[in-house]
Amino acid sequence: MRLIVPLQGIVQGRGGLILGSIIPCAMYYFLQFYLKRRRSPPNLPEADSNPPSPVASSSNLTELSRSASRSNLVSRASIGRPHVSARVHSIAKANDSCYYVGLDRVSSDPYDRVGNPNGVVQLGLAENRLTLDLIENWITEKLNESILGMNANGIATYQPFDGMSELKVAMAGLMSQVVGKTVTFDPSQIVLTSGATSAIEILCFALADQGNAFLIPAPYYPGFDRDMKWRTGVELIPVHCRSSDNFTLSIPALDQAFNQARKRGQKVKGILLSNPSNPVGNLMTRETLLGLLDFAREKNIHIISDELFAGSTFGDEEFVSMAEIIESEETDKDRVHIVYGLSKDLSLPGFRVGVIYSYNENVLTVSRKMTRFSPVSAPTQRLVTSMLSDTTFIKSYIETNQERLRGMYELFVNGLKELGISCTKSSGGLYCWCDMSGLIKTYNEKGELDLWDKLLTVAKINVTPGSSCHCIEPGWFRCCFTTLDEDDVRIVIERIRLVVETCKSPS
Amino acid sequence: MAIDIVQPTVGLSKIAVSETHGENSPYFAGWKAYDENPYHEIHNPSGVIQMGLAENQVSFDLLEEYLESHQEATSWGKKVSGFRENALFQDYHGLLAFRKAMASFMEQVRGGKAKFNPKRVVLTAGATAANELLTFILANPGDALLVPTPYYPGFDRDLRWRTGVEIVPIHCESSNNFQITPEALESAYDHARSMGMKVQGVLITNPSNPLGATIQRKVLEQILDFVTRKNIHLVSDEIYSGSAFHADEFASIAEILESRNYQDAERCHIVYSLSKDLGLPGFRVGTVYSYNDQVVTTARRMSSFTLISSQTQFLLASMLSNKEFTEKYIKINRERLRKRYEMIVNGLKKAGIECLKGNAGLFCWMNLSPYLKEATRESELEIWKTIMDEVRLNISPGSSCRCSEPGWFRVCFANMSEETLEVALRRLHEFMDKRRNEEMSLLY
């Protein structure tokens, strides 16, 4: 029987198995029983009393408190109240994870250089505002009702659930542009869904049964904990990457994680990789990708390559898509599936456009059926088709975006360097991965969260702590810089300086 | 002879390979036949006429007119200043203006007889997603939902496929016009229990698909009493509420709850969508409206997997809040649907075919049981195939809807022009005449 271990941090090798897991487990469960007996019928939160937190979906939230053990919270409805599923309890309870706290703090006191200069600056949301002006211009010039197809049998009738064929063609073109024109994507291998969040979940439903697992290089996007596990019941097994390797994935580590899973009796169905990676921002090399393919082949498992940030690269390294690797293979195409979307590269997260690109006909068939539950809205399909078909615009957009990303990245990273904070060398994404371990008092998760809190309350910036991303080394933080402009960066650096100074002063 | 080396194919999940998506039933096979040979009055006058798709095209001109005269709604205004924030907006709470507009529209459709609070409106990309989402929330894999038969064939997929939940039918019979009875409810409940399943709720469609009839107020009260007694949930799928031919003939569960002062309302949840009433299926707008706070909170977070495009929310927010437009639309839509219904029912009667007395929806429930060789599912499918191949009409057999009596068919009438409907009726008339003549000649 597997031990249910709520307190991950301790089990990650920092407290020993017995002390680390059994005792806290026991204490935790006794506490839960005690509280449940004492509590009167739960006073459930008013529907909207969760403060107007702006975002929850495909950005970087984790809404699962890290001490929640889903399968163990029993539905103990009071008499007369109908039972709900076990799933509800892991999510519906009021959330005290530092993510939510941070977001709430921002939304209740948002920074505005003119209107609220002492507000909290949002650096915890991977949202790109740097190049939206180009899209705004395009809309102003080009939008008219013919684009939106506002006529009978245009947008209103039922459409193929996996997306209009014109959009698939346009999307295939975009994807090719984004990966550097090294691959031609086939529109018939595209299934459109309402966001990359849906795309990932559909693939999990299609590839794995409840209880099966995916290996995932850590640190990873905190949203995966919810998106991949919640309704599908699959497990995630982190494969830890280390700063000594610049957080790149090592195949031996992958192998070790696979074997350990097997010993535990867990069936691994695939690997989920993010390339460019979130939160680190590095790109996978051709060699690593080939190594991954060999590994997947040997173990007969799938590869899901989440390439959501493929167009948001700014370094000297070239981006290599999994599609490029697999194009030249004769066999094994069946095991590769790519996820893409417009939320990051095109700054259109609200429009909910996600892509599943697979070489496996069975997976495509299943995905087409499943996307009925999460299709793309027709007027949006029309608008996006027009935009993506304007290839001149798209080319100039991508190039300008990359330039601005590079500029902002360098500005931000150099600013941090002034403060003695270094970042991993990254070439993609909307963020940088910063090493603030020198500033934390105790070299553990608590020390990290204390610093996070200080950054939130003293520097008034919301950043993402590495522990939320399952990073095994404490002290790392993800800072998104794409909602700022140049003047804001200066202000943020000065604010961080305050905290750096208090950390360095003897206490 | 060389031995083929078979590469081990990498496996998929059980869900992926199961048939629970239900897409191998005749309901879906008919669509294929239509796709391969679709009717067109000029280019393909002998093609298959699609009467298996519950789509509402009778009032599209009203929408078109609105959209043409309100272009700011479609383009974020002349300076597109609202575009940026809209494009970045991915909050699962949804645009407040849109939620308010949905709540107000739902009130209007019910003639103001029930109030809806925007805070309880959870947005999903379609009613398909809303039904699945509620099932994920209300039931665990292996649990059962009781659903009255006949029911929308898509439920087999929407409620069961990825959720692992079972549907246990509440059998309804033609002897009382397929109404749900307390006995049928109890019987279904006991049957589920006897199979070792935990019953988590009852899911009704009101107005009913495929019956095309509203559920009587008295019956709704009985259902509510039943679920209260058993301490289970009630999901009321009211996506056809705006398609009731006479507004006063539709009673929503919301009205019943209001009349009971919302006592025990926590177990009730309503599903709505704009696909049928407003004829906007491509927009993918659905909602879960729940009287249960915990369900609302969970549903909101779970809607992350099925958010409505912020562009669409923006576009529709202003349209649905335009009370003048919505009043006019709802009223005219009801009238037109009623006329269509009368047209098809009278046409069928002339052909010697009776229908269930209906008062809502985009279809009628046709009774061909007198014409079956035997009262079996096989005979029903035989006639269905004949109608598909010879008459070239795609209609939905009752067996796909799990109807316990063979010989009933759902025939949609709102997804085509009046002329096309006439062609369909004419063909059916000729077919029935031919059949009658053949039968006569057999007697002599």
Side-chain angles (χ1 to χ4, degrees), chain A residues 54 83 85 87 91 156 198 205-206 209 302 350 373 377-378 380, chain B residues 11 13-14 87 91 136 233 281-283 301 305-306 309-312:
Chain A
H83 295 238
S85 74
R87 282 178 199 93
I91 296 294
S198 320
F205 270 122
D209 296 327
H302 293 274
F373 299 106
S377 185
T380 301
Chain B
S13 66
K14 295 195 187 98
D91 180 2
F136 270 120
H233 294 273
F283 278 46
R301 293 177 182 179
F305 297 108
T306 182
S309 164
S310 53
Q311 172 198 11
T312 303

PDB file of all heavy atoms in Angstrom, chain A residues 54 83 85 87 91 156 198 205-206 209 302 350 373 377-378 380, chain B residues 11 13-14 87 91 136 233 281-283 301 305-306 309-312:
ATOM      1  N   PRO A  54      -7.959  37.637 -11.085  1.00  0.00           N
ATOM      2  CA  PRO A  54      -8.086  37.839 -12.534  1.00  0.00           C
ATOM      3  C   PRO A  54      -7.921  36.576 -13.353  1.00  0.00           C
ATOM      4  O   PRO A  54      -8.603  36.363 -14.303  1.00  0.00           O
ATOM      5  CB  PRO A  54      -6.983  38.835 -12.859  1.00  0.00           C
ATOM      6  CG  PRO A  54      -6.034  38.757 -11.723  1.00  0.00           C
ATOM      7  CD  PRO A  54      -6.804  38.324 -10.542  1.00  0.00           C
ATOM      8  N   HIS A  83     -24.465  14.306  -1.577  1.00  0.00           N
ATOM      9  CA  HIS A  83     -23.039  14.098  -1.720  1.00  0.00           C
ATOM     10  C   HIS A  83     -22.559  14.569  -3.080  1.00  0.00           C
ATOM     11  O   HIS A  83     -23.277  14.510  -4.063  1.00  0.00           O
ATOM     12  CB  HIS A  83     -22.728  12.592  -1.600  1.00  0.00           C
ATOM     13  CG  HIS A  83     -23.044  12.050  -0.253  1.00  0.00           C
ATOM     14  ND1 HIS A  83     -22.113  11.440   0.549  1.00  0.00           N
ATOM     15  CD2 HIS A  83     -24.193  12.025   0.458  1.00  0.00           C
ATOM     16  CE1 HIS A  83     -22.675  11.058   1.675  1.00  0.00           C
ATOM     17  NE2 HIS A  83     -23.941  11.397   1.643  1.00  0.00           N
ATOM     18  N   SER A  85     -18.856  14.446  -5.702  1.00  0.00           N
ATOM     19  CA  SER A  85     -17.783  13.487  -5.974  1.00  0.00           C
ATOM     20  C   SER A  85     -16.548  13.802  -5.149  1.00  0.00           C
ATOM     21  O   SER A  85     -16.385  14.909  -4.642  1.00  0.00           O
ATOM     22  CB  SER A  85     -17.419  13.519  -7.455  1.00  0.00           C
ATOM     23  OG  SER A  85     -16.699  14.692  -7.740  1.00  0.00           O
ATOM     24  N   ARG A  87     -13.744  14.305  -6.206  1.00  0.00           N
ATOM     25  CA  ARG A  87     -12.928  15.315  -6.889  1.00  0.00           C
ATOM     26  C   ARG A  87     -13.118  16.709  -6.308  1.00  0.00           C
ATOM     27  O   ARG A  87     -12.232  17.550  -6.353  1.00  0.00           O
ATOM     28  CB  ARG A  87     -13.371  15.430  -8.354  1.00  0.00           C
ATOM     29  CG  ARG A  87     -12.869  14.362  -9.233  1.00  0.00           C
ATOM     30  CD  ARG A  87     -13.411  14.576 -10.619  1.00  0.00           C
ATOM     31  NE  ARG A  87     -13.314  13.343 -11.355  1.00  0.00           N
ATOM     32  CZ  ARG A  87     -14.285  12.448 -11.435  1.00  0.00           C
ATOM     33  NH1 ARG A  87     -15.426  12.672 -10.836  1.00  0.00           N
ATOM     34  NH2 ARG A  87     -14.106  11.334 -12.104  1.00  0.00           N
ATOM     35  N   ILE A  91     -10.474  20.581  -4.576  1.00  0.00           N
ATOM     36  CA  ILE A  91     -10.383  21.840  -5.301  1.00  0.00           C
ATOM     37  C   ILE A  91     -11.240  22.937  -4.696  1.00  0.00           C
ATOM     38  O   ILE A  91     -10.877  24.089  -4.714  1.00  0.00           O
ATOM     39  CB  ILE A  91     -10.820  21.614  -6.775  1.00  0.00           C
ATOM     40  CG1 ILE A  91      -9.866  20.654  -7.463  1.00  0.00           C
ATOM     41  CG2 ILE A  91     -10.892  22.915  -7.523  1.00  0.00           C
ATOM     42  CD1 ILE A  91      -8.474  21.159  -7.642  1.00  0.00           C
ATOM     43  N   ALA A 156     -22.803  30.508 -37.391  1.00  0.00           N
ATOM     44  CA  ALA A 156     -23.775  30.056 -36.411  1.00  0.00           C
ATOM     45  C   ALA A 156     -24.053  28.564 -36.465  1.00  0.00           C
ATOM     46  O   ALA A 156     -24.383  27.972 -35.458  1.00  0.00           O
ATOM     47  CB  ALA A 156     -25.075  30.824 -36.580  1.00  0.00           C
ATOM     48  N   SER A 198      -6.862  22.444 -22.380  1.00  0.00           N
ATOM     49  CA  SER A 198      -7.726  21.355 -22.857  1.00  0.00           C
ATOM     50  C   SER A 198      -6.935  20.339 -23.652  1.00  0.00           C
ATOM     51  O   SER A 198      -7.169  19.134 -23.538  1.00  0.00           O
ATOM     52  CB  SER A 198      -8.830  21.882 -23.778  1.00  0.00           C
ATOM     53  OG  SER A 198      -9.353  23.075 -23.311  1.00  0.00           O
ATOM     54  N   PHE A 205      -6.261  11.882 -21.241  1.00  0.00           N
ATOM     55  CA  PHE A 205      -7.392  10.951 -21.299  1.00  0.00           C
ATOM     56  C   PHE A 205      -7.152   9.889 -22.366  1.00  0.00           C
ATOM     57  O   PHE A 205      -7.547   8.738 -22.211  1.00  0.00           O
ATOM     58  CB  PHE A 205      -8.682  11.705 -21.656  1.00  0.00           C
ATOM     59  CG  PHE A 205      -9.458  12.231 -20.484  1.00  0.00           C
ATOM     60  CD1 PHE A 205      -9.732  13.584 -20.368  1.00  0.00           C
ATOM     61  CD2 PHE A 205      -9.945  11.366 -19.503  1.00  0.00           C
ATOM     62  CE1 PHE A 205     -10.464  14.075 -19.288  1.00  0.00           C
ATOM     63  CE2 PHE A 205     -10.681  11.855 -18.424  1.00  0.00           C
ATOM     64  CZ  PHE A 205     -10.936  13.210 -18.324  1.00  0.00           C
ATOM     65  N   ALA A 206      -6.533  10.316 -23.452  1.00  0.00           N
ATOM     66  CA  ALA A 206      -6.369   9.395 -24.584  1.00  0.00           C
ATOM     67  C   ALA A 206      -5.226   8.412 -24.380  1.00  0.00           C
ATOM     68  O   ALA A 206      -5.265   7.288 -24.882  1.00  0.00           O
ATOM     69  CB  ALA A 206      -6.139  10.190 -25.870  1.00  0.00           C
ATOM     70  N   ASP A 209      -4.574   5.593 -18.463  1.00  0.00           N
ATOM     71  CA  ASP A 209      -5.700   5.282 -17.596  1.00  0.00           C
ATOM     72  C   ASP A 209      -5.475   5.934 -16.246  1.00  0.00           C
ATOM     73  O   ASP A 209      -4.370   6.346 -15.908  1.00  0.00           O
ATOM     74  CB  ASP A 209      -5.812   3.765 -17.386  1.00  0.00           C
ATOM     75  CG  ASP A 209      -6.115   3.043 -18.679  1.00  0.00           C
ATOM     76  OD1 ASP A 209      -6.813   3.614 -19.540  1.00  0.00           O
ATOM     77  OD2 ASP A 209      -5.644   1.893 -18.830  1.00  0.00           O
ATOM     78  N   HIS A 302       4.797   7.092 -24.719  1.00  0.00           N
ATOM     79  CA  HIS A 302       4.513   8.261 -25.551  1.00  0.00           C
ATOM     80  C   HIS A 302       5.377   9.454 -25.170  1.00  0.00           C
ATOM     81  O   HIS A 302       5.930   9.496 -24.078  1.00  0.00           O
ATOM     82  CB  HIS A 302       3.044   8.682 -25.375  1.00  0.00           C
ATOM     83  CG  HIS A 302       2.057   7.698 -25.908  1.00  0.00           C
ATOM     84  ND1 HIS A 302       1.647   7.690 -27.211  1.00  0.00           N
ATOM     85  CD2 HIS A 302       1.396   6.685 -25.294  1.00  0.00           C
ATOM     86  CE1 HIS A 302       0.760   6.722 -27.378  1.00  0.00           C
ATOM     87  NE2 HIS A 302       0.592   6.092 -26.239  1.00  0.00           N
ATOM     88  N   GLY A 350      -7.151  34.857 -24.113  1.00  0.00           N
ATOM     89  CA  GLY A 350      -8.601  34.918 -23.910  1.00  0.00           C
ATOM     90  C   GLY A 350      -9.388  34.217 -25.002  1.00  0.00           C
ATOM     91  O   GLY A 350     -10.516  33.786 -24.784  1.00  0.00           O
ATOM     92  N   PHE A 373     -15.991  18.538 -26.150  1.00  0.00           N
ATOM     93  CA  PHE A 373     -16.180  19.115 -24.828  1.00  0.00           C
ATOM     94  C   PHE A 373     -15.421  20.429 -24.671  1.00  0.00           C
ATOM     95  O   PHE A 373     -15.590  21.136 -23.682  1.00  0.00           O
ATOM     96  CB  PHE A 373     -15.716  18.127 -23.751  1.00  0.00           C
ATOM     97  CG  PHE A 373     -16.484  16.834 -23.762  1.00  0.00           C
ATOM     98  CD1 PHE A 373     -15.917  15.668 -24.247  1.00  0.00           C
ATOM     99  CD2 PHE A 373     -17.792  16.794 -23.309  1.00  0.00           C
ATOM    100  CE1 PHE A 373     -16.637  14.467 -24.281  1.00  0.00           C
ATOM    101  CE2 PHE A 373     -18.522  15.605 -23.327  1.00  0.00           C
ATOM    102  CZ  PHE A 373     -17.949  14.442 -23.818  1.00  0.00           C
ATOM    103  N   SER A 377     -14.553  28.613 -30.351  1.00  0.00           N
ATOM    104  CA  SER A 377     -15.739  29.359 -30.743  1.00  0.00           C
ATOM    105  C   SER A 377     -15.637  29.846 -32.187  1.00  0.00           C
ATOM    106  O   SER A 377     -14.581  30.312 -32.621  1.00  0.00           O
ATOM    107  CB  SER A 377     -15.894  30.560 -29.798  1.00  0.00           C
ATOM    108  OG  SER A 377     -17.081  31.236 -30.060  1.00  0.00           O
ATOM    109  N   ALA A 378     -16.757  29.747 -32.912  1.00  0.00           N
ATOM    110  CA  ALA A 378     -16.741  30.042 -34.349  1.00  0.00           C
ATOM    111  C   ALA A 378     -16.281  31.456 -34.719  1.00  0.00           C
ATOM    112  O   ALA A 378     -15.439  31.592 -35.622  1.00  0.00           O
ATOM    113  CB  ALA A 378     -18.104  29.745 -34.954  1.00  0.00           C
ATOM    114  N   THR A 380     -14.296  33.328 -33.247  1.00  0.00           N
ATOM    115  CA  THR A 380     -12.858  33.370 -32.991  1.00  0.00           C
ATOM    116  C   THR A 380     -12.105  32.604 -34.061  1.00  0.00           C
ATOM    117  O   THR A 380     -11.039  33.022 -34.514  1.00  0.00           O
ATOM    118  CB  THR A 380     -12.551  32.794 -31.608  1.00  0.00           C
ATOM    119  OG1 THR A 380     -13.264  33.563 -30.636  1.00  0.00           O
ATOM    120  CG2 THR A 380     -11.073  32.843 -31.289  1.00  0.00           C
TER     121      THR A 380
ATOM    122  N   GLY B  11       0.460   1.789 -26.717  1.00  0.00           N
ATOM    123  CA  GLY B  11      -0.948   1.679 -26.379  1.00  0.00           C
ATOM    124  C   GLY B  11      -1.637   2.988 -26.038  1.00  0.00           C
ATOM    125  O   GLY B  11      -1.007   3.989 -25.724  1.00  0.00           O
ATOM    126  N   SER B  13      -5.283   4.650 -23.916  1.00  0.00           N
ATOM    127  CA  SER B  13      -6.000   4.397 -22.665  1.00  0.00           C
ATOM    128  C   SER B  13      -7.242   3.542 -22.924  1.00  0.00           C
ATOM    129  O   SER B  13      -7.679   3.387 -24.059  1.00  0.00           O
ATOM    130  CB  SER B  13      -6.442   5.720 -22.060  1.00  0.00           C
ATOM    131  OG  SER B  13      -7.410   6.307 -22.911  1.00  0.00           O
ATOM    132  N   LYS B  14      -7.823   3.051 -21.850  1.00  0.00           N
ATOM    133  CA  LYS B  14      -9.062   2.275 -21.967  1.00  0.00           C
ATOM    134  C   LYS B  14     -10.175   3.167 -22.497  1.00  0.00           C
ATOM    135  O   LYS B  14     -10.996   2.742 -23.298  1.00  0.00           O
ATOM    136  CB  LYS B  14      -9.473   1.732 -20.587  1.00  0.00           C
ATOM    137  CG  LYS B  14      -8.506   0.731 -20.013  1.00  0.00           C
ATOM    138  CD  LYS B  14      -9.146  -0.023 -18.840  1.00  0.00           C
ATOM    139  CE  LYS B  14      -8.132  -0.912 -18.133  1.00  0.00           C
ATOM    140  NZ  LYS B  14      -7.558  -0.298 -16.917  1.00  0.00           N
ATOM    141  N   ALA B  87      -8.462  40.356 -25.211  1.00  0.00           N
ATOM    142  CA  ALA B  87      -7.596  39.284 -25.718  1.00  0.00           C
ATOM    143  C   ALA B  87      -6.832  38.610 -24.584  1.00  0.00           C
ATOM    144  O   ALA B  87      -6.500  37.435 -24.658  1.00  0.00           O
ATOM    145  CB  ALA B  87      -6.618  39.843 -26.745  1.00  0.00           C
ATOM    146  N   ASP B  91      -9.981  34.753 -17.332  1.00  0.00           N
ATOM    147  CA  ASP B  91     -10.481  34.473 -15.988  1.00  0.00           C
ATOM    148  C   ASP B  91     -11.645  33.507 -16.072  1.00  0.00           C
ATOM    149  O   ASP B  91     -12.610  33.741 -16.813  1.00  0.00           O
ATOM    150  CB  ASP B  91     -10.936  35.793 -15.366  1.00  0.00           C
ATOM    151  CG  ASP B  91     -11.484  35.641 -13.960  1.00  0.00           C
ATOM    152  OD1 ASP B  91     -11.483  34.509 -13.431  1.00  0.00           O
ATOM    153  OD2 ASP B  91     -11.917  36.653 -13.408  1.00  0.00           O
ATOM    154  N   PHE B 136     -18.903  15.122 -13.733  1.00  0.00           N
ATOM    155  CA  PHE B 136     -17.613  14.964 -13.040  1.00  0.00           C
ATOM    156  C   PHE B 136     -17.723  15.424 -11.590  1.00  0.00           C
ATOM    157  O   PHE B 136     -17.081  14.886 -10.699  1.00  0.00           O
ATOM    158  CB  PHE B 136     -16.524  15.808 -13.723  1.00  0.00           C
ATOM    159  CG  PHE B 136     -15.762  15.115 -14.806  1.00  0.00           C
ATOM    160  CD1 PHE B 136     -15.765  15.601 -16.106  1.00  0.00           C
ATOM    161  CD2 PHE B 136     -14.998  13.978 -14.531  1.00  0.00           C
ATOM    162  CE1 PHE B 136     -15.033  14.964 -17.113  1.00  0.00           C
ATOM    163  CE2 PHE B 136     -14.260  13.338 -15.534  1.00  0.00           C
ATOM    164  CZ  PHE B 136     -14.293  13.837 -16.830  1.00  0.00           C
ATOM    165  N   HIS B 233     -29.046  14.552  -6.357  1.00  0.00           N
ATOM    166  CA  HIS B 233     -29.081  15.789  -7.137  1.00  0.00           C
ATOM    167  C   HIS B 233     -30.117  15.746  -8.246  1.00  0.00           C
ATOM    168  O   HIS B 233     -30.560  14.677  -8.652  1.00  0.00           O
ATOM    169  CB  HIS B 233     -27.711  16.037  -7.784  1.00  0.00           C
ATOM    170  CG  HIS B 233     -26.632  16.318  -6.803  1.00  0.00           C
ATOM    171  ND1 HIS B 233     -26.360  17.570  -6.324  1.00  0.00           N
ATOM    172  CD2 HIS B 233     -25.753  15.481  -6.184  1.00  0.00           C
ATOM    173  CE1 HIS B 233     -25.356  17.510  -5.482  1.00  0.00           C
ATOM    174  NE2 HIS B 233     -24.968  16.251  -5.370  1.00  0.00           N
ATOM    175  N   PRO B 281     -25.069  27.529 -32.505  1.00  0.00           N
ATOM    176  CA  PRO B 281     -24.289  26.395 -32.013  1.00  0.00           C
ATOM    177  C   PRO B 281     -22.795  26.567 -32.224  1.00  0.00           C
ATOM    178  O   PRO B 281     -21.993  26.105 -31.421  1.00  0.00           O
ATOM    179  CB  PRO B 281     -24.827  25.212 -32.826  1.00  0.00           C
ATOM    180  CG  PRO B 281     -25.409  25.814 -34.051  1.00  0.00           C
ATOM    181  CD  PRO B 281     -25.923  27.153 -33.654  1.00  0.00           C
ATOM    182  N   GLY B 282     -22.434  27.280 -33.285  1.00  0.00           N
ATOM    183  CA  GLY B 282     -21.000  27.420 -33.561  1.00  0.00           C
ATOM    184  C   GLY B 282     -20.275  28.265 -32.534  1.00  0.00           C
ATOM    185  O   GLY B 282     -19.056  28.183 -32.388  1.00  0.00           O
ATOM    186  N   PHE B 283     -21.019  29.075 -31.790  1.00  0.00           N
ATOM    187  CA  PHE B 283     -20.386  29.977 -30.827  1.00  0.00           C
ATOM    188  C   PHE B 283     -19.868  29.228 -29.602  1.00  0.00           C
ATOM    189  O   PHE B 283     -18.959  29.696 -28.927  1.00  0.00           O
ATOM    190  CB  PHE B 283     -21.379  31.038 -30.357  1.00  0.00           C
ATOM    191  CG  PHE B 283     -21.520  32.194 -31.304  1.00  0.00           C
ATOM    192  CD1 PHE B 283     -21.675  31.985 -32.667  1.00  0.00           C
ATOM    193  CD2 PHE B 283     -21.501  33.496 -30.835  1.00  0.00           C
ATOM    194  CE1 PHE B 283     -21.806  33.054 -33.542  1.00  0.00           C
ATOM    195  CE2 PHE B 283     -21.633  34.573 -31.703  1.00  0.00           C
ATOM    196  CZ  PHE B 283     -21.789  34.356 -33.050  1.00  0.00           C
ATOM    197  N   ARG B 301     -13.782  26.451 -11.488  1.00  0.00           N
ATOM    198  CA  ARG B 301     -12.390  26.069 -11.672  1.00  0.00           C
ATOM    199  C   ARG B 301     -12.263  25.014 -12.749  1.00  0.00           C
ATOM    200  O   ARG B 301     -11.337  25.040 -13.555  1.00  0.00           O
ATOM    201  CB  ARG B 301     -11.810  25.566 -10.358  1.00  0.00           C
ATOM    202  CG  ARG B 301     -11.728  26.703  -9.362  1.00  0.00           C
ATOM    203  CD  ARG B 301     -11.236  26.277  -8.020  1.00  0.00           C
ATOM    204  NE  ARG B 301     -11.244  27.435  -7.120  1.00  0.00           N
ATOM    205  CZ  ARG B 301     -10.881  27.390  -5.860  1.00  0.00           C
ATOM    206  NH1 ARG B 301     -10.476  26.256  -5.344  1.00  0.00           N
ATOM    207  NH2 ARG B 301     -10.921  28.466  -5.115  1.00  0.00           N
ATOM    208  N   PHE B 305     -11.033  24.006 -18.433  1.00  0.00           N
ATOM    209  CA  PHE B 305     -10.815  23.097 -19.559  1.00  0.00           C
ATOM    210  C   PHE B 305     -11.736  23.413 -20.719  1.00  0.00           C
ATOM    211  O   PHE B 305     -11.617  22.823 -21.787  1.00  0.00           O
ATOM    212  CB  PHE B 305     -11.056  21.647 -19.123  1.00  0.00           C
ATOM    213  CG  PHE B 305     -10.104  21.177 -18.059  1.00  0.00           C
ATOM    214  CD1 PHE B 305     -10.543  20.981 -16.761  1.00  0.00           C
ATOM    215  CD2 PHE B 305      -8.769  20.954 -18.348  1.00  0.00           C
ATOM    216  CE1 PHE B 305      -9.660  20.566 -15.765  1.00  0.00           C
ATOM    217  CE2 PHE B 305      -7.883  20.550 -17.364  1.00  0.00           C
ATOM    218  CZ  PHE B 305      -8.334  20.354 -16.079  1.00  0.00           C
ATOM    219  N   THR B 306     -12.670  24.317 -20.503  1.00  0.00           N
ATOM    220  CA  THR B 306     -13.691  24.544 -21.529  1.00  0.00           C
ATOM    221  C   THR B 306     -14.206  25.978 -21.472  1.00  0.00           C
ATOM    222  O   THR B 306     -15.410  26.214 -21.416  1.00  0.00           O
ATOM    223  CB  THR B 306     -14.828  23.496 -21.363  1.00  0.00           C
ATOM    224  OG1 THR B 306     -15.794  23.667 -22.375  1.00  0.00           O
ATOM    225  CG2 THR B 306     -15.459  23.536 -19.997  1.00  0.00           C
ATOM    226  N   SER B 309     -14.476  31.668 -25.502  1.00  0.00           N
ATOM    227  CA  SER B 309     -13.600  32.713 -26.017  1.00  0.00           C
ATOM    228  C   SER B 309     -14.050  34.079 -25.511  1.00  0.00           C
ATOM    229  O   SER B 309     -15.239  34.411 -25.540  1.00  0.00           O
ATOM    230  CB  SER B 309     -13.651  32.692 -27.546  1.00  0.00           C
ATOM    231  OG  SER B 309     -13.135  33.883 -28.080  1.00  0.00           O
ATOM    232  N   SER B 310     -13.101  34.877 -25.036  1.00  0.00           N
ATOM    233  CA  SER B 310     -13.448  36.195 -24.509  1.00  0.00           C
ATOM    234  C   SER B 310     -14.045  37.074 -25.600  1.00  0.00           C
ATOM    235  O   SER B 310     -14.874  37.941 -25.325  1.00  0.00           O
ATOM    236  CB  SER B 310     -12.210  36.857 -23.903  1.00  0.00           C
ATOM    237  OG  SER B 310     -11.155  36.856 -24.837  1.00  0.00           O
ATOM    238  N   GLN B 311     -13.629  36.844 -26.833  1.00  0.00           N
ATOM    239  CA  GLN B 311     -14.191  37.599 -27.955  1.00  0.00           C
ATOM    240  C   GLN B 311     -15.704  37.336 -28.056  1.00  0.00           C
ATOM    241  O   GLN B 311     -16.510  38.248 -28.202  1.00  0.00           O
ATOM    242  CB  GLN B 311     -13.514  37.180 -29.260  1.00  0.00           C
ATOM    243  CG  GLN B 311     -14.151  37.773 -30.498  1.00  0.00           C
ATOM    244  CD  GLN B 311     -13.769  37.030 -31.775  1.00  0.00           C
ATOM    245  OE1 GLN B 311     -13.187  35.946 -31.740  1.00  0.00           O
ATOM    246  NE2 GLN B 311     -14.107  37.602 -32.911  1.00  0.00           N
ATOM    247  N   THR B 312     -16.069  36.064 -27.962  1.00  0.00           N
ATOM    248  CA  THR B 312     -17.479  35.679 -28.049  1.00  0.00           C
ATOM    249  C   THR B 312     -18.269  36.240 -26.874  1.00  0.00           C
ATOM    250  O   THR B 312     -19.389  36.712 -27.040  1.00  0.00           O
ATOM    251  CB  THR B 312     -17.582  34.150 -28.086  1.00  0.00           C
ATOM    252  OG1 THR B 312     -16.812  33.680 -29.185  1.00  0.00           O
ATOM    253  CG2 THR B 312     -19.014  33.680 -28.237  1.00  0.00           C
TER     254      THR B 312
END
